[in-house]
Each structure stands twice: as structure tokens, then as C-alpha cells.
Amino acid sequence: MLLRKRVKAGILLYALHMSAVFALLLNFYLLRVQANERQSIAQLSASQAFLMAEVTKDLATEDAGTVSFNQGSASYSHKKDQLSVKVRLDNGQSFSYVFAREQKQEVDSKLTRNIDDSSIE
């Protein structure tokens, strides 16, 4: 009789131990899945904001202005040789980017100079 009680208690303790280990592993797995989802959402938002900033850089013709998109808006301003772009997404996040302002005449003259140099060789 005493042996049966000990065996039943041992099985119960083993089952309790295994369920605790399973619960810990399940909790760890669920936390990792949630963290991965949050990271994916953050990367998507950052990619959208950077793409909006790139498009704004191409469209920026005045000293300052605002460009509206489906996912938010971007405001820009020229400061010396830099273009400052601030992107605000519809979900409330905001991102700031600074681009070097290129002079098109310099780029064109460098390009023709490199072509002329390569034709000489």
C-alpha cells in the first residue's frame, strides 16, 4: 500500500514538472514570436519612411515644402548644401533624413570628363 502511494505521488510530481517545463518553453516561444512581429513592423515602417524621403528628395525643387503620400507626409527644407527631410507616417511615427544636395552641373561635367578620359586611353 505504501509503495503504491509513493508511485502515484512520483507520477504526479513528474507530470507537474513536465507541465511546468512545457509552460516555460511555450512562454519563451510566444515572446520570441511577438518580438519578431514587432521588429518586422518597425522595419516596414522605416522602409516606407525612407522610400518616401527618397521620392521627396527627387521632387524637392523649392527651398521648403511638403509632399503628401498615402502612408503619411514628408516636409523638406534646404539648408546650405543639405536637404533635410522629415517624414511623418499615419501611425504617428516620424523619421528624419539628411541628404547631401548635389549640383547637377557638377555631376554632368564630371561625367563628361570621365568619358573623355576613357576615350583617350
Side-chain angles (χ1 to χ4, degrees):
M1 185 82 161
L2 183 61
L3 184 59
R4 276 188 153 168
K5 287 184 181 179
R6 285 186 181 172
V7 169
K8 287 183 180 178
I11 291 173
L12 181 64
L13 285 175
Y14 179 76
L16 186 62
H17 180 263
M18 285 293 116
S19 65
V21 168
F22 177 73
L24 286 173
L25 288 173
L26 183 63
N27 188 24
F28 176 75
Y29 173 75
L30 291 176
L31 288 175
R32 289 305 313 153
V33 167
Q34 286 177 345
N36 191 20
E37 183 67 21
R38 281 191 303 257
Q39 187 177 16
S40 297
I41 291 171
Q43 286 179 344
L44 180 65
S45 296
S47 297
Q48 286 176 342
F50 186 73
L51 182 62
M52 289 167 62
E54 284 284 328
V55 171
T56 303
K57 180 179 85 167
D58 294 338
L59 297 176
T61 57
E62 301 172 2
D63 287 338
T66 303
V67 179
S68 295
F69 297 94
N70 290 341
Q71 301 294 327
S73 63
S75 59
Y76 64 91
S77 62
H78 289 285
K79 296 177 183 174
K80 296 183 183 178
D81 290 340
Q82 295 179 343
L83 175 66
S84 175
V85 179
K86 294 180 183 175
V87 178
R88 182 158 177 85
L89 298 177
D90 287 339
N91 61 8
Q93 292 179 323
S94 60
F95 298 87
S96 297
Y97 300 97
V98 178
F99 297 104
R101 192 170 164 187
E102 294 181 9
Q103 301 294 334
K104 287 197 173 200
Q105 293 174 347
E106 289 181 24
V107 173
D108 291 339
S109 66
K110 287 180 184 177
L111 182 63
T112 55
R113 203 174 321 137
N114 289 339
I115 293 172
D116 292 339
D117 291 342
S118 63
S119 64
I120 294 172
E121 296 174 2

